[in-house]
Amino acid sequence: MKIAIAGAGIGGLAAAALLAQDGHEVTVFDQFDAPRPVGSGLVIQPVGLAALARIGVLEDAVALGAKVTRMLGREVDNNRVILDVRFPRKGGEFGLAIHRASLFHVLWHGAQTSGATVQASARVTGSHVTRDGRFLDTSSATHGPFDLVVDAMGVNSTLSPLVAKPLPFGALWASVPWPDSELPRDLLSQRYRRADHMAGIMPIGTLPGESTFMAGVFWSLPRAALSLWTGMDFAAWKAEVAAFWPDYAPFVEGLTKPSDMATATYSHGTLKRPYAERLAFIGDAAHRTSPQLGQGANMAILDALALAMALRTHPVADALPAYAAMRRWHVRLYQAMSAAFTPQYQSASRVLPVLRDHVLAPLSRVPPVPKILNRLVSGDIILPLAGQRFP
Ligand SMILES: Cc1cc2nc3c(=O)[nH]c(=O)nc-3n(C[C@H](O)[C@H](O)[C@H](O)COP(=O)(O)OP(=O)(O)OC[C@H]3O[C@@H](n4cnc5c(N)ncnc54)[C@H](O)[C@@H]3O)c2cc1C
């Protein structure tokens, strides 16, 4: 088939690699002029790693990323452990924390070696379908007809009908060289005060072609404060975070101005039907949530795999509902879990953090809850692709 993919992000490139490997003629359209190392850290959970193995880029991703074996979160005022999730040591499972640019790099390479072509400087503005197939409009031309268009344009998709609800908190992010620190390089650490203060440090490995081991650092802020961030007193902010969590100070020492940190806002929503005639929505174009459970990139890669698998066994008109059915319950469960967990860590609520610290945290240590939490974070608490033996 002739397939157009709108968006060369994580999901779009994963889909491009898989669909080109299956023999389809794949063209990817993206608005960027050239790929750049944008973003900071994200985590690929074991289930997403299994999908990267199917694409054939797992080894390259592991070579660049950092293996995370534990996520540990403490309340700053009393040092109480609030969150402690370990990947099972048996099987050597780990989460791969990686700079978005490094994951992009390996998927970009995977898509191109599989035979997909990429058109840069192609901002997608619309799409329409005729008897001949689906067409894609970019700012300079109309392309097509295609047998299928895949919308992988993420949160700013110009094709997806998804109306997402903005979440009240977002975060500041930066990628920094890992300093001289006692924090282990396989630990994703967080600190909280109630739910209105949260800081995190995650190892993210190296950027392509570089040897400096990096950390992704984040600091939660309400949406209103994020919009005022560029005018903030940066020295005062650094003093605040150093007092909040002394281990954090060396990580942000080299940052000197507000623009050294990127702002990220989050929203929540799920498309009921992630497809239309000859059009499939994957990744953030189909469902959005906060990064609290670390599933965004994971979900996009799984969507890509499900779509490719559905197209192997069905004609396109049947493949799209088959793709949606394969992903429906996994996506819905994780969206629901994320909606339930996020306000415990990022909200102005005074009740939820008390519940978190005094009921949920102790409960999380009572067997079999640690195992359930582990499977939840690993991404396969239920089958990620319904009806398929995967991973
Ligand atoms: C620049 C950027 C930085 C990010 N940084 C982080 C991060 O640090 N940590 C994290 O957890 N997540 C980050 N994300 C989000 C993360 O990549 C996604 O949540 C997740 O990987 C799901 O990806 P996706 O494939 O659905 O979309 P994305 O990976 O967001 O990719 C969407 C792609 O579509 C392209 N696009 C958008 N609109 C158009 C258009 N109209 N025409 C053509 N192309 C278009 C974008 O340029 C982008 O390449 C970032 C996303 C982007 C775009």
Side-chain angles (χ1 to χ4, degrees), residues 29-31 120-126 136-143:
F29 297 86
D30 201 289
Q31 63 192 358
S121 310
R123 181 177 152 68
V124 173
T125 52
L136 200 59
D137 305 318
T138 62
S139 3
S140 55
T142 293
H143 306 265

Side-chain angles (χ1 to χ4, degrees), residues 20-54:
Q21 284 163 14
D22 286 347
H24 303 295
E25 187 188 329
V26 179
T27 312
V28 189
F29 297 86
D30 201 289
Q31 63 192 358
F32 56 51
D33 297 328
R36 279 172 294 122
V38 279
S40 182
L42 41 81
V43 184
I44 304 294
Q45 309 296 354
V47 74
L49 295 175
L52 290 184
R54 292 274 179 110

Side-chain angles (χ1 to χ4, degrees), residues 287-375:
H287 39 73
R288 281 160 221 171
T289 183
S290 82
Q292 204 60 47
L293 287 178
Q295 299 290 334
N298 236 20
M299 290 280 166
I301 296 168
L302 287 170
D303 288 352
L305 181 59
L307 180 62
M309 287 166 86
L311 286 164
R312 279 176 205 155
T313 45
H314 298 81
V316 69
D318 300 333
L320 298 185
Y323 148 68
M326 233 188 274
R327 293 289 295 129
R328 180 170 299 122
W329 291 110
H330 189 253
V331 167
R332 289 196 181 167
L333 178 73
Y334 275 90
Q335 291 293 92
M337 288 294 181
S338 189
F341 273 95
T342 301
Q344 292 176 37
Y345 295 92
Q346 284 196 294
S347 72
S349 170
R350 293 291 153 116
V351 178
L352 286 174
V354 173
L355 188 74
R356 174 193 77 191
D357 296 358
H358 297 282
V359 181
L360 299 177
L363 192 69
S364 72
R365 289 189 278 277
V366 181
V369 183
K371 234 180 186 166
I372 295 172
L373 275 178
N374 171 272
R375 298 277 35 118

Side-chain angles (χ1 to χ4, degrees), residues 196-347:
D196 53 2
H197 285 71
M198 175 176 74
I201 298 172
M202 73 163 143
I204 54 173
T206 56
L207 281 164
E210 295 187 12
S211 57
T212 308
F213 191 87
M214 307 284 287
V217 292
F218 51 95
W219 176 258
S220 172
L221 274 183
R223 236 165 213 271
L226 277 175
S227 61
L228 301 173
W229 171 247
T230 46
M232 287 296 284
D233 178 344
F234 198 67
W237 175 77
K238 276 169 81 167
E240 183 192 348
V241 296
F244 179 79
W245 184 10
D247 283 341
Y248 200 80
F251 285 85
V252 293
E253 199 172 88
L255 306 176
T256 56
K257 51 189 183 307
S259 59
D260 288 343
M261 301 202 75
T263 56
T265 53
Y266 307 128
S267 57
H268 197 274
T270 310
L271 277 183
K272 277 206 176 107
R273 208 173 72 133
Y275 63 92
E277 191 179 347
R278 294 187 184 277
L279 178 61
F281 301 98
I282 67 169
D284 288 353
H287 39 73
R288 281 160 221 171
T289 183
S290 82
Q292 204 60 47
L293 287 178
Q295 299 290 334
N298 236 20
M299 290 280 166
I301 296 168
L302 287 170
D303 288 352
L305 181 59
L307 180 62
M309 287 166 86
L311 286 164
R312 279 176 205 155
T313 45
H314 298 81
V316 69
D318 300 333
L320 298 185
Y323 148 68
M326 233 188 274
R327 293 289 295 129
R328 180 170 299 122
W329 291 110
H330 189 253
V331 167
R332 289 196 181 167
L333 178 73
Y334 275 90
Q335 291 293 92
M337 288 294 181
S338 189
F341 273 95
T342 301
Q344 292 176 37
Y345 295 92
Q346 284 196 294
S347 72

